[in-house]
Amino acid sequence: MDAGTYRERVEIQKAVSYTRDKIGNQKPIWETYYRGYAYVNNLSGTEYWAAAQTQAENTVMFILRYHRSFRDIDTKKYQILWNSQVYNITSVDNVQQKNETVKFRAVRRD
């Protein structure tokens, strides 16, 4: 993929600790884990319809150049911030295990 394709600024955040709100619910404290540029694409075709069946129409694919810190990312402790919107990561794919690009599938949090 051409370097000019990666033009959307994204931030991957990690839950580093938790705090409690007034009624005792745990709330994560987020810290910047990685900042970089991504190719952002809405789902299309069969991916879109599969997401629509599970009411996940707000699913977006973030494609970033590989970085070694991505090995530690899981779907529980990390989120993506893009265009002032928060996205919960649903899957992480090191494409063909080549360590060239990583696809993050994420759903916008309402």
Side-chain angles (χ1 to χ4, degrees):
M1 197 177 285
D2 181 26
T5 306
Y6 300 96
R7 60 178 157 233
E8 297 293 330
R9 185 87 167 141
V10 297
E11 180 177 318
I12 298 175
Q13 298 177 328
K14 179 181 181 179
V16 292
S17 63
Y18 294 87
T19 185
R20 293 188 186 271
D21 63 9
K22 291 184 219 177
I23 59 173
N25 295 324
Q26 284 193 343
K27 300 192 82 156
I29 296 173
W30 297 100
E31 182 177 279
T32 299
Y33 181 75
Y34 176 85
R35 278 194 186 126
Y37 290 91
Y39 169 71
V40 181
N41 193 15
N42 290 324
L43 299 182
S44 60
T46 56
E47 287 181 325
Y48 173 80
W49 292 110
Q53 289 178 346
T54 61
Q55 283 75 41
E57 293 92 357
N58 295 327
T59 302
V60 177
M61 188 75 67
F62 296 91
I63 302 172
L64 289 90
R65 289 181 186 217
Y66 178 83
H67 190 274
R68 65 182 174 271
S69 65
F70 293 165
R71 288 181 273 176
D72 300 329
I73 293 180
D74 62 41
T75 59
K76 304 290 184 205
K77 297 180 197 164
Y78 295 85
Q79 67 182 13
I80 295 176
L81 184 61
W82 174 61
N83 282 347
S84 302
Q85 295 285 322
V86 177
Y87 291 81
N88 293 328
I89 298 171
T90 57
S91 70
V92 181
D93 178 19
N94 181 357
V95 178
Q96 297 179 347
Q97 302 302 315
K98 290 184 177 181
N99 296 344
E100 293 174 0
T101 57
V102 178
K103 287 185 182 181
F104 293 91
R105 184 177 290 207
V107 177
R108 188 177 72 219
R109 190 182 309 157
D110 293 325

